[in-house]
Each structure stands twice: as structure tokens, then as C-alpha cells.
Amino acid sequence: MQEELEEYLKNIPHLVHSDLLNTISYKGEWKGRPLIVVKSGVGKVNAAMATQYLISHFPLSAVISQGVAGAVHPALNIGDIVLGESHVQHDLNVTALGFRKGEIPYSAVHDFPGDPVLLEKAKKACEKLGFSYMAGRIISGDQFISDSETIRQLSREFSAHAVDMEMAAIAQVCHINRMPFLSAKAISDRADRMAHTDFPKFLQSSAKKSFQLVEELLSSL
Ligand code: ADE
């Protein structure tokens, strides 16, 4: 989203706008290395398209996806960071044919991992910044969740920490391309009946925390 991109535009000098597929993208240099910043748009299809496009057209060394997410784990507060150890599509449902919820039929994997080296560095970056964080499962679906009962059910079904609308798609594309991937999200809401007011209220401050974490992480690479 624009609010998630804004921190990069404010803080990184000399970013040059470039048109990549249907995304808003900027290229530049940051912390001594080439960087491409992409606003993919909302939802799994946009996220998957942007990720595959980037991987196919640029010699990337890693994909870092950041921004905001809704809390699923009850111990998470607004502004806390969730680092994705694994990523599942919670709205993929072929249970009628005997598959588990989130399972991709006839595919060996449906719970796509984050890169362990980047995860460890991101944990250290959180500690250095004094950010409260949890590492765990991020679940994604093409829906904004704003209902406590749905969140309790998703928590039971997936033992998830956070919910968003893109991470599992990006993780899947990275996994298939053997591209190191890190997801680092800041909590903007609890995905409950207050989510529609919390999300716009905390979007900017949480997007900023997520940016600060990536900034610290890139300094340590
Ligand atoms: N991203 C941030 N909050 C969310 C929510 N409640 N549901 C889905 N994606 C989100």
C-alpha cells in the first residue's frame, strides 16, 4: 500500500521511479547495495505477479516483504513485529475432496518457510531496536478479517501468529524459485470488530516500524 511505500520514499535518497508490470516501483541504492522497492497492490494475485516478475527480470539476492498485518496470536499488541517462519493460504479450501484446509492439492508443500538466516538477523535487528516481536506462522487470504470468531477459528486451524493478504503468495513464489525470503510485518489491528477503525488509525505508525526493522536488518547484512 502507498502508506507502506511512503517510508522508503521519505528516507532513501535518489530513488528512481520505474514501471514494472502493473506495480509502482523504485530503484536505487541503499546501505551500499542495489535495491528495488515495489508496491505490489493488495491481494495474493498482485503479490505473486510482482514477485515472479522481479525474480525473472533482476538478479536478486533476497526478497523482503514488509508492511502491516492483523494479529492472530492473543499476546500480540498493535505495533509488535511478526517475523514469518512459515506462510499458509488460509482461504485455500479443498476440504470437500479430502485435503486439509490451506493444503494445495497435489503439491508437496503448502506451508512455505522464511529464510532461516534472514530470520535470525531480523530477530537481532528487533532486539537492537527494542521492538517487541514474535516469530511464527503468517496466514494470508484475499479478505480483510474483522471478526473475533473468524480469528479464533483461524487460530485453531492454523496456529497462526498474524494474518494478511499477500505473504503466503510471495513465500510460495520465492520457494519455487529458491529465492531467500523474509516477511517482517508490524501489527496494525487485531482482526476483530475494531479492525476497520484500528487499521487506518495504526497503518502509518506500524508501517514505519516495519520500515525501521528492514533498515536495521539491511545494515547488518
Ligand atoms: N492486514 C492488516 N490487517 C489485516 C486484517 N485484519 N486482515 C487481513 N489483512 C490485514
Side-chain angles (χ1 to χ4, degrees):
M1 291 177 66
Q2 191 60 31
E3 291 81 353
E4 294 163 316
L5 177 70
E6 214 56 58
E7 290 299 322
Y8 288 83
L9 302 184
K10 270 196 296 203
N11 288 288
I12 307 177
H14 314 307
L15 279 179
V16 179
H17 181 266
S18 61
D19 280 323
L20 303 179
L21 202 60
N22 67 333
T23 66
I24 309 278
S25 312
Y26 291 86
K27 287 189 207 166
E29 238 193 280
W30 199 34
K31 310 274 176 200
R33 66 189 72 233
L35 177 83
I36 305 174
V37 184
V38 180
K39 176 178 119 177
S40 69
V42 175
K44 292 185 293 171
V45 173
N46 277 330
M49 268 195 311
T51 310
Q52 187 59 60
Y53 187 90
L54 282 172
I55 293 172
S56 299
H57 290 85
F58 299 95
L60 306 185
S61 48
V63 171
I64 299 174
S65 185
Q66 58 109 92
V68 300
V72 179
H73 196 291
L76 282 165
N77 291 309
I78 287 170
D80 288 355
I81 301 287
V82 176
L83 304 171
E85 286 180 331
S86 68
H87 310 81
V88 180
Q89 296 180 58
H90 69 76
D91 58 351
L92 210 166
N93 186 344
V94 194
T95 51
L97 296 182
F99 296 95
R100 282 174 294 148
K101 252 191 125 193
E103 191 174 355
I104 304 171
Y106 318 116
S107 168
V109 196
H110 68 277
D111 193 2
F112 299 97
D115 180 75
V117 176
L118 290 173
L119 269 170
E120 280 316 303
K121 288 188 186 288
K123 287 179 193 171
K124 291 212 169 73
C126 284
E127 281 154 22
K128 189 157 172 208
L129 291 165
F131 286 178
S132 177
Y133 75 92
M134 293 179 101
R137 180 171 293 140
I138 297 178
I139 52 174
S140 309
D142 286 319
Q143 49 197 263
F144 184 84
I145 309 287
S146 55
D147 165 54
S148 305
E149 186 41 48
T150 305
I151 276 301
R152 274 195 288 275
Q153 193 180 332
L154 289 173
S155 174
R156 277 196 301 274
E157 284 170 346
F158 295 102
S159 305
H161 282 66
V163 63
D164 84 335
M165 301 179 67
E166 292 84 21
M167 284 299 176
I170 302 173
Q172 180 172 353
V173 173
C174 287
H175 181 78
I176 287 163
N177 287 274
R178 298 182 202 284
M179 174 61 59
F181 169 66
L182 175 76
S183 60
K185 287 263 179 167
I187 297 300
S188 57
D189 59 83
R190 293 193 171 80
D192 56 9
R193 66 188 174 80
M194 297 306 292
H196 68 288
T197 50
D198 283 345
F199 177 77
K201 192 162 147 195
F202 297 109
L203 173 59
Q204 204 181 349
S205 57
S206 292
K208 184 171 180 169
K209 282 191 94 169
S210 174
F211 168 82
Q212 288 170 327
L213 169 58
V214 174
E215 182 177 33
E216 180 58 39
L217 171 70
L218 290 189
S219 305
S220 74
L221 290 181

